[in-house]
Amino acid sequence: MTPRLALRGTALLYLAALLVLPVGLVLFRASEKGLAPVVDSLTTPQGMHAFYLTSIVVAIAVPLNTIFGVATSLLIVRTKLPGRKLIDSVIDLPFAVSPVVIGLSLVLVYGNDGFLGGPLSDAGLKIIFSTPGIILATVFVSLPFVVREVSPVLREIGTEQEEAAGTLGASPWQTFRRITLPAIRPAVGYGVVLTTARALGEYGAVSVVSGKFSGRTETATLFVEDRFQSFDLTGAYAAAIVLALMAVAVLVGMNLLDRNRRLRHGN
Amino acid sequence: MAIEAQGLNKRFGEYQALDDVTFTAPDGQITALLGPSGGGKSTLLRVISGLEEPDSGSVHLLGEDVTHLTPQDRQVGFVFQHYAPFRHMDVRDNVSFGLSVRKRPKPEIKAKVEELLELVQLSGLGERYPDQLSGGQRQRMALARALAVEPKVLLLDEPFGALDARVRKDLRQWLRRLHEEVDVTTLFVTHDQEEAMELAHHVVVLSEGRVEQAGRPTDLYEDPANEFVMGFVGPVTKVGEDLVRPHDLEIHIEPRAGAIAAKVERVLRLGFEVRVELCVDEEEPASVQLSASEAEPLELHPGQMVHLSVARKPALAESSTV
Amino acid sequence: MSALSVPLRRSEARRVRFPGAAPAGALSVAYLSLVVLIPLAAVAATGMEDGVDGFWEAVTKPQALSALKLTLLVSLAVAAINAVAGTLIAWVLVRDDFRGKGFVNALIDLPFALPTIVAGLTLLALYGKGSPVGINVAFTQIGVALALLFVTLPFVVRAVQPVLIELDPEVEEAGASLGAKPLTVFRRIIFPAIRPAMLAGVALAFGRALGEFGSVVLISGNLPNKTEVASVYIFGLIELGDKQAAAAVSVVLLAASLLLLTTIAALSRKGARP
């Protein structure tokens, strides 16, 4: 066997053993007894609520982080605002913190006896053990992606096109809408895809923050765990497969957008 | 006067980019900002356009004080060194951008764009994207785009810097002809003295943020204000204590009053021109430029002793930058 | 071209004028503070709630030390394995060609996209009780390592890939023509070139492994002092309501991750210089 084939074989074997076979097995086990049991376990009120809750959370967290991401990118790259370097380094924190610690940090501040949570709860707004808390946790963990994708692109394209638009009479808003935004659109798209993937799959922080009240604060990922702990393997696998399929859709999106980006930038 | 700059100062941290810069650009003419790289020319252009604000001083365009106006409000056309094309728009949309931003009616825009594309010889390329154009075509598109909004003043930042030599020469002539058709006051930045001399009606020489001299190209060439301008704008040779143009030196076989002895080192025959490299007092190199017909009767050859006299010597002030 | 000799400071000064920058900046800082900064500060504060003694006590409890030690060692081992496996996979993806390579390349991102709990579930199905291949590593440290290998797979691969792509194959050919065997070529020509990227990827993998929770929680069985990682231990403390202890151990974990973050930043700056 040539060294090339040996290397290839080893790599493929590693990937098969670590990734392909485990996921494939669950896919198989889930659909082993046909599609009916799968549909049954997913269409229970608990199951439906779980996926519904996940959708709501993602639908709120992703746009929030996208707007924040684009605005903050512009601030960091295009202005001389003091403290922007500090913001830049803080953005990476969610990557460095364990999800459980993230959950803990949010409970400490927004829990019923929390520093901010106390007064809010007196005013009737419950954050921890309720949907807003889950949204907050999801926002925390998926915060950096859009900023990290858009900033280098903003740096690379430089200010000349925007300056040119200015000399031609465009207002700052017109310049942003017609020149900057089209230029960063692929990067924003890619960032949104990454943010969505992270938001869909969040488990650790949400575990801590939600209280796992089934039918109320149980997201799709928590639902998977719940089914497993209840020895309902079919249910667990079924939900896992749905989430895995969503992940695959995200993967496909990632690869398509990534190829588009590279082509556009003439790589 | 179309452009008047008074006492402009601009500092970037430790670096003084503009040092009390005062100059004027005459109405309807082409003015060149000439100087070595890093000398402040681009900064000056950006201050005039409004893309930078000066620390002190004023800028007047057609009599109006625009010092603190944004670029949007100054109505200047600006062509960037790398053209800053809007890469996601085709040529037509690029050129029409300024007009669409002003919300002109569509048929008016269409007609104007066609007219401009013809003017810059890009008709038929309207649907192409900037990435599909050559460097020269992109530059002409950038020009058309800037001219579309009928600016009071046209500013060009090293317009030919990014092109290769032959394209550069062609475009120079083309720009001069274009200016005859569209006689908008034009100010362009260059470090190429040949370009400035060939294109401009009026030249301002800048070095290290200071104006060294301003005037017509011939005036700068024949009566430079100081050593720096003299050396930058044309060839110089040193004879004794004097700086002289190589073609202002005369070679004589016989000694004569006031002439300096020199030994011929090398004779270069370059078609019409003959360049003679000599050595004065066995140390100082000097060079003389003659026409072939002037050189013939002298029968110059290496090792020959001749005598140099200065036909014309410009009166130089002490240079602020040597 | 004069653009090349424009002093670098100038590009710093070219900013598009931005009305509303200040309020936007304030909003951005507020968003970051409410979501990230204040909560993390609260963790540090709560950890110190009972003074330095309370902090120290929480962190040096036998179960805590066990968890931290296990986390550290397994994460290091996983990072080391990734250094080799990740580089190997990156190599094969860049230098080799075979049917389905594009698919395999896309596959690398699967751990990024897949929820961690699902990852854990799939590993448990194949390598736990009732495994169709007869391998049962549930409730073992190997199981923990396996879960961490899954989630950290992409980091080294994706860090090394672009560097390998940039690397001109001609350089290796030159080495070979001068008599160097493939291993020597790798050691003396390729490895030095990819080392910064590899280290950055390894550091990222290590950081991820330190805090990993969802994929480990099912397969490890969370046996205290045996297969309980730090994140699970902290989770247990939260469930018990001992917020101070949970926060204290969290601070230790946070400190380790932050140290890594700064190392990565320094490494990537070094790697960026030609």
Side-chain angles (χ1 to χ4, degrees):
Chain A
M1 168 152 6
T2 65
R4 167 173 292 235
L5 280 178
L7 289 176
R8 190 195 302 177
T10 315
L12 291 178
L13 202 65
Y14 185 84
L15 289 173
L18 194 59
L19 291 187
V20 182
L21 289 175
V23 179
L25 181 63
V26 168
L27 185 59
F28 176 69
R29 286 266 165 83
S31 46
E32 228 177 354
K33 302 182 186 113
L35 223 47
V38 173
V39 176
D40 280 339
S41 21
L42 292 177
T43 49
T44 59
Q46 188 191 3
M48 303 269 278
H49 177 86
F51 280 95
Y52 169 73
L53 182 61
T54 294
S55 312
I56 300 266
V57 169
V58 170
I60 297 180
V62 172
L64 271 176
N65 274 338
T66 304
I67 297 174
F68 165 76
V70 173
T72 307
S73 267
L74 285 168
L75 278 167
I76 295 176
V77 180
R78 289 277 190 265
T79 69
K80 282 193 269 192
L81 227 58
R84 71 187 193 281
K85 287 242 173 78
L86 194 63
I87 297 183
D88 200 6
S89 37
V90 167
I91 298 275
D92 275 330
L93 274 177
F95 285 154
V97 186
S98 169
V100 170
V101 175
I102 292 177
L104 174 65
S105 72
L106 290 173
V107 168
L108 289 175
V109 175
Y110 296 102
N112 279 335
D113 33 337
F115 164 58
L116 288 176
L120 280 172
S121 141
D122 292 336
L125 179 64
K126 217 164 111 161
I127 298 193
I128 301 301
F129 303 143
S130 178
T131 308
I134 300 178
I135 297 176
L136 197 55
T138 308
V139 166
F140 192 133
V141 301
S142 59
L143 191 96
F145 293 105
V146 175
V147 182
R148 282 280 159 265
E149 290 301 318
V150 171
S151 292
V153 173
L154 273 178
R155 249 177 232 121
E156 193 208 322
I157 60 180
T159 53
E160 278 205 346
Q161 288 185 54
E162 293 160 17
E163 287 179 346
T167 62
L168 290 165
S171 69
W173 175 246
Q174 280 174 317
T175 305
F176 174 73
R177 205 170 42 86
R178 298 185 61 170
I179 306 294
T180 317
L181 208 50
I184 60 173
R185 194 171 293 147
V188 174
Y190 196 69
V192 165
V193 166
L194 292 175
T195 310
T196 308
R198 190 68 182 83
L200 275 174
E202 176 45 34
Y203 170 75
V206 168
S207 271
V208 173
V209 149
S210 70
K212 302 192 197 178
F213 298 121
S214 128
R216 282 232 314 273
T217 61
E218 195 179 67
T219 61
T221 49
L222 292 174
F223 177 68
V224 171
E225 188 208 2
D226 172 76
R227 291 294 86 208
F228 179 80
Q229 306 287 24
S230 314
F231 303 105
D232 175 12
L233 274 185
T234 315
Y237 288 164
I241 287 306
V242 173
L243 282 169
L245 285 174
M246 287 182 178
V248 169
V250 165
L251 254 188
V252 170
M254 268 170 77
N255 271 276
L256 284 175
L257 279 168
D258 198 32
R259 214 180 306 144
N260 254 344
R261 264 192 330 164
R262 282 207 233 110
L263 285 175
R264 208 177 287 236
H265 282 252
N267 256 7
Chain B
M1 281 299 166
I3 306 178
E4 277 175 74
Q6 272 293 334
L8 290 172
N9 282 290
K10 179 79 184 174
R11 171 177 236 135
F12 295 106
E14 287 289 308
Y15 173 71
Q16 188 79 24
L18 296 176
D19 191 352
D20 197 30
V21 170
T22 299
F23 81 96
T24 56
D27 226 339
Q29 294 193 356
I30 302 180
T31 301
L33 292 177
L34 173 67
S37 302
K41 322 183 290 295
S42 285
T43 309
L44 181 55
L45 203 71
R46 288 173 66 87
V47 165
I48 293 175
S49 71
L51 291 169
E52 301 275 3
E53 264 208 58
D55 298 332
S56 59
S58 71
V59 177
H60 285 74
L61 294 179
L62 294 178
E64 190 191 332
D65 186 350
V66 299
T67 318
H68 299 290
L69 289 184
T70 61
Q72 285 87 334
D73 297 327
R74 288 194 199 200
Q75 267 203 293
V76 288
F78 200 105
V79 176
F80 292 77
Q81 184 172 1
H82 299 283
Y83 322 129
F86 301 141
R87 294 170 63 183
H88 57 287
M89 296 185 196
D90 66 18
V91 169
R92 202 163 297 220
D93 288 334
N94 260 278
V95 174
S96 63
F97 183 82
L99 296 167
S100 81
V101 146
R102 284 167 176 69
K103 308 219 169 42
R104 310 300 307 156
K106 284 219 169 87
E108 182 189 319
I109 298 183
K110 193 157 180 282
K112 185 89 196 188
V113 169
E114 281 312 316
E115 189 190 312
L116 282 160
L117 288 181
E118 234 196 272
L119 182 69
V120 299
Q121 293 161 313
L122 285 177
S123 316
L125 294 176
E127 266 76 53
R128 293 248 187 113
Y129 281 82
D131 290 342
Q132 297 167 306
L133 299 175
S134 72
Q137 288 169 329
R138 253 178 257 170
Q139 202 239 37
R140 305 209 299 271
M141 180 191 82
L143 258 168
R145 185 176 74 180
L147 289 172
V149 292
E150 284 168 31
K152 295 184 203 164
V153 153
L154 183 64
L155 306 173
L156 306 159
D157 192 354
E158 303 258 8
F160 310 116
L163 303 165
D164 37 82
R166 214 203 65 195
V167 180
R168 216 182 297 177
K169 272 189 162 355
D170 291 338
L171 274 173
R172 247 188 257 168
Q173 293 174 356
W174 177 87
L175 187 65
R176 185 82 188 220
R177 260 180 275 130
L178 181 76
H179 185 262
E180 281 158 26
E181 271 193 65
V182 184
D183 62 348
V184 62
T185 307
T186 304
L187 181 63
F188 77 97
V189 158
T190 180
H191 59 270
D192 183 345
Q193 44 79 229
E194 196 186 305
E195 198 165 278
M197 306 301 257
E198 194 181 304
L199 258 185
H201 301 106
H202 186 80
V203 176
V204 178
V205 179
L206 276 166
S207 170
E208 295 192 357
R210 266 167 294 203
V211 176
E212 297 290 341
Q213 190 177 359
R216 293 179 311 159
T218 26
D219 294 336
L220 263 66
Y221 190 85
E222 307 211 324
D223 292 308
N226 54 45
E227 250 180 71
F228 172 79
V229 175
M230 182 166 187
F232 196 81
V233 149
V236 250
T237 188
K238 196 159 188 203
V239 177
E241 287 304 308
D242 299 325
L243 284 177
V244 181
R245 297 269 180 236
H247 53 78
D248 283 339
L249 281 173
E250 289 174 345
I251 299 182
H252 310 278
I253 306 291
E254 301 303 317
R256 67 165 70 173
I260 299 176
K263 185 166 87 163
V264 175
E265 296 281 317
R266 232 178 135 202
V267 182
L268 287 158
R269 291 187 174 79
L270 304 159
F272 173 75
E273 173 193 333
V274 173
R275 214 180 295 162
V276 186
E277 286 170 24
L278 311 114
C279 209
V280 176
D281 294 339
E282 295 192 6
E283 267 177 27
E284 299 279 329
S287 83
V288 178
Q289 201 180 358
L290 314 161
S291 70
S293 40
E294 286 170 348
E296 225 196 283
L298 298 171
E299 287 180 7
L300 298 163
H301 53 269
Q304 183 183 16
M305 287 304 288
V306 294
H307 303 268
L308 300 176
S309 68
V310 178
R312 192 183 170 275
K313 182 181 75 180
L316 297 175
E318 263 309 300
S319 175
S320 48
T321 40
V322 176
Chain C
M1 271 186 273
S2 75
L4 290 170
S5 47
V6 167
L8 279 168
R9 325 151 246 219
R10 298 258 216 103
S11 61
E12 287 298 308
R14 292 186 189 189
R15 296 271 184 259
V16 177
R17 261 169 258 192
F18 209 130
L27 270 172
S28 178
V29 171
Y31 189 85
L32 271 174
S33 303
L34 285 173
V35 177
V36 177
L37 291 171
I38 296 177
L40 287 179
V43 172
T46 310
M48 298 296 278
E49 218 172 44
D50 298 335
V52 182
D53 294 326
F55 182 89
W56 192 245
E57 198 202 312
V59 168
T60 52
K61 253 197 260 228
Q63 199 181 348
L65 284 176
S66 247
L68 285 168
K69 203 167 76 164
L70 175 69
T71 304
L72 197 70
L73 290 174
V74 177
S75 302
L76 269 170
V78 163
I81 297 176
N82 266 312
V84 177
T87 307
L88 171 67
I89 295 172
W91 178 272
V92 171
L93 285 175
V94 175
R95 287 301 164 75
D96 202 354
D97 214 359
F98 51 90
R99 266 232 315 250
K101 188 168 89 155
F103 173 75
V104 175
N105 188 36
L107 206 61
I108 304 293
D109 288 324
L110 187 66
F112 275 156
L114 202 66
T116 51
I117 186 78
V118 173
L121 196 64
T122 63
L123 286 171
L124 192 58
L126 187 56
Y127 300 114
K129 198 166 86 155
S131 157
V133 292
I135 304 177
N136 187 349
V137 293
F139 301 97
T140 68
Q141 295 175 346
I142 308 255
V144 175
L146 205 58
L148 294 177
L149 280 173
F150 188 111
V151 297
T152 54
L153 177 78
F155 291 107
V156 177
V157 179
R158 290 299 186 225
V160 172
Q161 250 180 317
V163 181
L164 274 179
I165 292 174
E166 286 294 314
L167 210 57
D168 197 343
E170 286 189 346
V171 179
E172 295 158 50
E173 290 169 358
S177 74
L178 290 163
K181 294 225 187 61
L183 202 59
T184 316
V185 170
F186 179 79
R187 204 168 43 88
R188 298 187 61 176
I189 299 178
I190 299 169
F191 183 69
I194 61 173
R195 193 175 41 207
M198 199 176 88
L199 284 176
V202 165
L204 281 170
F206 185 47
R208 176 66 196 268
L210 278 181
E212 180 53 25
F213 178 71
S215 59
V216 175
V217 113
L218 292 182
I219 198 169
S220 73
N222 309 321
L223 305 171
N225 300 316
K226 279 254 253 339
T227 63
E228 188 182 49
V229 293
S231 58
V232 175
Y233 177 65
I234 295 172
F235 187 76
L237 287 172
I238 299 174
E239 299 224 287
L240 285 173
D242 190 352
K243 296 206 181 115
Q244 185 269 332
V249 181
S250 299
V251 168
V252 176
L253 212 56
L254 255 176
S257 310
L258 284 174
L259 188 64
L260 255 157
L261 242 194
T262 35
T263 314
I264 295 170
L267 277 171
S268 60
R269 244 177 283 132
K270 237 205 282 183
R273 261 179 241 140

